[in-house]
Amino acid sequence: MSKTIMTVDDSASVRQMVAFTLRNAGYEVIEAVDGKDALTKLKGNVHMIITDLNMPQMNGIELIRNVRSQAAYKFIPIVMLTTESQASKKQEGKSAGATGWIVKPFKPEQLIGVVKKVLR
Amino acid sequence: MLLACRADFEEIRRTLQGCIAERESEFLSLGEQLQRISGGAMQLTQDTQQLITATADDVLDTAVVELSEQLETTRTLCASSDSSNSALLQSIQTTVHTLLGLIASYSRITKTLQMLGVSTRIESARLGSDGKGFTTLADDVEKLARKIVEYSGNIKTHGEQLELISAEAAGKLFAMHAAQEESESTLFASVNQSLEQLQEQTGVSRRVSGELTSVMEDITGRVGSVVSSMQFHDIVRQQVEHVEETLDDVLKLEQKHGEDVQLFSLAEIGMLQSRQLNNARTSFYEAVEQLKGDLRATGELVVHVASVASSGAAGNAVQHSTPPIETIAHGISEISSFITEFSVQGEHISTAIAAVVDTITQMSAFLEDIEDVGTEIGLIAMNASIRAAHTGEKGRALGVLAGAIQHLSLDAGEQTTGIAKALSDVGDMAEQLNKLAADYFTADKAQHMTDALEALLVRLEDAAGSTETLLHHVVSEAETLSGNIDENVRSITIHDDVCAILDAAEQALVHTASAARSAITTTERLTMPDDLQAIASRYTMEKERDVHRTAMRGSGQGVAGEIDLFGSEDDSLDALAEAFEDEFGDNIELF
């Protein structure tokens, strides 16, 4: 049975490319437009979250904290996918519970490589 | 001037507002086209993989090898069946000829015995009571002569019959052998030649498949590069939004500072943001051009797929006027007919050989009779000697006759031994023929062989046919896909509009910054207030920070130590980044 990954980004074109890359690799994909939308869609079997940082309503850091507070999703991999590259932001993400950090633009083989590594 | 500059900033900000965000639907449409192109390329990959499996994985090769082996088995079996029988039949003919010669000699002995019997009877009558014992001898001799006539007559009849039917069987074998030789030189040779041509064709297909694998890997790489380029809509949108936010915040905050400071700040910020816009415009243009280039290259690779697959299919068609598989099918059909005919002839020969064996079996029954004759001849010879001794002077003539009978008996004995040996030899050959007949090429064997050949041919036709069909399918798919790609590339013009807007905004900022700088009245060295510096350096992207640093160094403003734009606050993150850099790339860290 294929695994389900949630992609959270306020940019529809980024969600499109992430979903395209993941579906081609055999994963099921749920899309959310921001952190708040992601929490409403976080039900059942979600095996991983890939989230942007700067989003309206709820940003990526806050989303991570909310996800980690839920017992069912306390340990699922959450990887940031963002244009942000500053070390202090990365540290903030790590402290909130992020599993990894990808700076845009990603290459499909990179994204799939990270997904396979963290979903092992 | 200050008011004019502020108005310009406001106008530029409004121009920039949503210039990229509003075009998201165009990018989404482009993304959908990319998915269709990628799907098409994926299907082409799958079909190509199927082609590789059909050729490079020995399906065709295995069928060709098995068919070659089956044909060789058929040819060998046909050849070996008749050569052993021919040799035996020839031996039988030779032995029968010898036997008939011996029978002829036997008949001469018989005549002489009969004459001696008559002479003995006459002499015995002349002697009267003294020759009484010789009458019995004459009777025995005449009885023996009659037996010999009877037995040798039987043997001669059967021997002549055997001569005829073995000659007939040998003739049939010879005719079959000649037909088989002719078939071998034409049919089998023709089919084997076509099999070689088919193997050459397999080699061509395998080469084509190998090239296709490499091309499909290149296409996957190009599609991946397009995915990277597509993300620049979001990246550049953020860069432009940062410029908008900076202009907006500057306009909100400036009024508390003096006019020269405000003009100076507007000039510095204007120039800096123009550089950011320049960077954004260049990034966007290059990303879309890269995307078009990658799509164009994908189209060229797909055209190459069609060209390589076409040359594979066309090359095979041009090389042979009739496809090898058709020649093989025709040849196997003829070989199957030949095998069936061969088995029918074989059945006839088996029948003929059975008749030979049967005749020999009947002749073998006479062996015992002949051996009895030999024994009887010996007894008569002894009896004649004894009677001759008893006769004395009066019966001297009878003594001579007895001696002659004895001498003849010995001759007959030798002939009998010869005949018995010949009959025994023929009996042994019959046994060998029987064994060979058990392994002979029967109708059942022929049917089994033709069934096997035809099953192999079906596999061969399936494998060859599916290869040819797949090649043509790949060509057609590739041509359609390359056409779609070409059309899509021609329709991508989004960057022209966007870059025109960004360029205009950039030029406007440069103009406004220059005008603001020219309007500064003081000659003192001015610096940007802290709040404006903070706004000006609010970035998320490393590229934005690079542009800021370059611009600030150029203007002499520097970073002044208050803003740390670069470097990591946590050395451990740098170490982690290094650790994973080689595995995933320098834009990825796993914590």
Side-chain angles (χ1 to χ4, degrees), chain B residues 328-347:
Chain B
I328 291 168
H330 180 69
I332 285 178
S333 171
E334 292 206 330
I335 288 171
S336 294
S337 301
F338 162 74
I339 288 170
T340 306
E341 178 58 30
F342 185 71
S343 75
V344 167
Q345 289 175 1
E347 294 279 344

Side-chain angles (χ1 to χ4, degrees), chain B residues 67 332-333 336-337 447-461:
Chain B
L67 187 56
I332 285 178
S333 171
S336 294
S337 301
Q447 188 60 51
H448 179 76
M449 202 153 278
T450 54
D451 287 348
L453 281 173
E454 274 158 27
L456 277 172
L457 179 62
V458 165
R459 277 177 54 200
L460 199 62
E461 282 174 332

